[in-house]
Amino acid sequence: MTSTWVEPSNTATALLLLGRGSDPATERGVECPGDLPAPSDPDLVARAAAAKAKLGSKVFVLGHHYQRDEVIQFADVTGDSFKLAREAAARPEAEYIVFCGVHFMAESADILTSDAQKVVLPDLAAGCSMADMAVLSQVETAWDVLTDLGIAARTVPVTYMNSSADIKGFVGRNGGVVCTSSNAKRALEWAYQQGEKVLFLPDQHLGRNTAVLEMGFSLDDCVLYDPHKPNGGLTPEQLRDAKMILWRGHCSVHGRFTLDSVNDVRERVPGVNVLVHPECRHEVVNAADFVGSTEYIIKTIEAAPAGSAWAVGTELNLVRRLALANPDKQIMFLDKAVCYCSTMNRIDLPHLVWALEELVAGRVVNQITVDADTAHHARVALDQMLALPGADTPPPIAI
């Protein structure tokens, strides 16, 4: 059996999500300064290669798994957000770190790299809707609510890597830890050794799925804190009784998959394996065959037997790349609708060429910097994550 890739329908939406438009709900609305090369420029690939060659070892280009192929081809390393930040820190000779990802990822790279290194985000509009759902002032207000109820001292904040430096700093200042989608269970186990409750930021789905499916909690042990409502829309009793206080945040890509998506693909493709990311909704994760981080998804597909069928619930660029790299398997997108990460796709070849050529000219553009105090406390929370048992060999979730 061979894989036949068919682009999803809905061309207008596809163009929007490819970065050829704007989405006020998920973008920071920051315009890129300077004159960008035209997307139609036939020399873009050659220009990128030439600029990268001129910079040599002074530049290190990071490419997140969800990036476009036209950008990925110039990445020195690909991976998830934390892996890429660590790779940058391991290249002290690189004066410039060009992060083809989104804003919070570039912040993490700046936190982990030396002061001599400069982190560049080719398009400042490449934000993350999930990270933007937890604003520091909102989180501080929530913490004040818990303090007034007398439960903040027994609550440990845990934030997903997909959060701003401000939120990581808050967690570090308050005795918490950062987690990834791979080590969320270990981070929560550590947190419950320190206190009785967890405030989990900003992705409600990863927190809920980890607590219920991996740690044996019930759905009733979890409450959802809405920062746009007084006291999070919860009663004092609900907050006092909860073991997991979940922030009302989600990934705009993974949150689009539904139980109907799973049921539909099972009807259309007998024997299909459903493989999804833990940022998906609880009912989707519960109905899947395999659940794990982006790295786990890649390794699972690569290790799958020839002829097997897979419906993958994650970002479309990655699923398409997996399908093309594994022609002996039937690999399809879990849902029929387009599901690109619109802000990740803001970084295209013209932006990358512009950023590299500006560096060649001696101009550092779109530099991402985190203030020293925030960086210090964020590093505390990140170091706590690295100190978790088994931090380098995270087990996947399998259902």
Side-chain angles (χ1 to χ4, degrees), residues 45-164:
V45 171
R47 288 173 63 177
K52 194 166 184 283
K54 286 180 182 178
L55 291 166
S57 61
K58 292 174 63 177
V59 70
F60 192 59
V61 180
L62 306 174
H64 191 271
H65 286 308
Y66 298 167
Q67 279 295 330
R68 308 157 176 259
D69 288 345
E70 66 186 55
V71 171
I72 283 291
Q73 66 180 314
F74 293 104
D76 293 301
V77 63
T78 60
D80 59 21
S81 60
F82 186 54
K83 173 188 174 182
L84 293 177
R86 294 184 75 180
E87 289 281 355
R91 302 298 195 286
E93 72 279 5
E95 183 178 350
Y96 308 118
I97 305 298
V98 177
F99 208 129
C100 298
V102 295
H103 197 271
F104 79 81
M105 300 178 188
E107 286 183 330
S108 294
D110 184 61
I111 290 167
L112 293 177
T113 53
S114 71
D115 292 340
Q117 295 174 287
K118 298 176 176 62
V119 178
V120 170
L121 185 65
D123 187 347
L124 292 179
C128 171
S129 58
M130 179 199 295
D132 290 343
M133 289 177 190
V135 178
L136 180 59
S137 60
Q138 296 173 331
V139 176
E140 289 176 334
T141 297
W143 199 251
D144 288 341
V145 170
L146 301 184
T147 300
D148 291 342
L149 291 175
I151 58 177
R154 297 180 279 124
T155 303
V156 178
V158 177
T159 190
Y160 189 22
M161 179 63 65
N162 298 25
S163 58
S164 69

Side-chain angles (χ1 to χ4, degrees), residues 346-357:
R346 299 291 307 187
I347 296 180
D348 54 11
L349 198 49
H351 283 88
L352 178 60
V353 168
W354 171 74
L356 291 174
E357 289 182 343

Side-chain angles (χ1 to χ4, degrees), residues 145-223:
V145 170
L146 301 184
T147 300
D148 291 342
L149 291 175
I151 58 177
R154 297 180 279 124
T155 303
V156 178
V158 177
T159 190
Y160 189 22
M161 179 63 65
N162 298 25
S163 58
S164 69
D166 283 344
I167 299 304
K168 292 184 180 76
F170 170 87
V171 169
R173 281 191 296 273
N174 288 279
V177 65
V178 176
C179 75
T180 67
S181 56
S182 296
N183 65 21
K185 179 185 178 183
R186 285 195 307 281
L188 288 176
E189 288 173 340
W190 174 86
Y192 284 110
Q193 292 171 358
Q194 318 305 313
E196 299 173 9
K197 301 173 181 290
V198 163
L199 172 62
F200 194 90
L201 306 156
D203 182 21
Q204 59 169 304
H205 300 306
L206 177 61
R208 183 183 295 106
N209 290 331
T210 305
V212 175
L213 299 178
E214 291 199 80
M215 301 182 67
F217 286 21
S218 72
L219 289 174
D220 291 338
D221 291 325
C222 308
V223 295

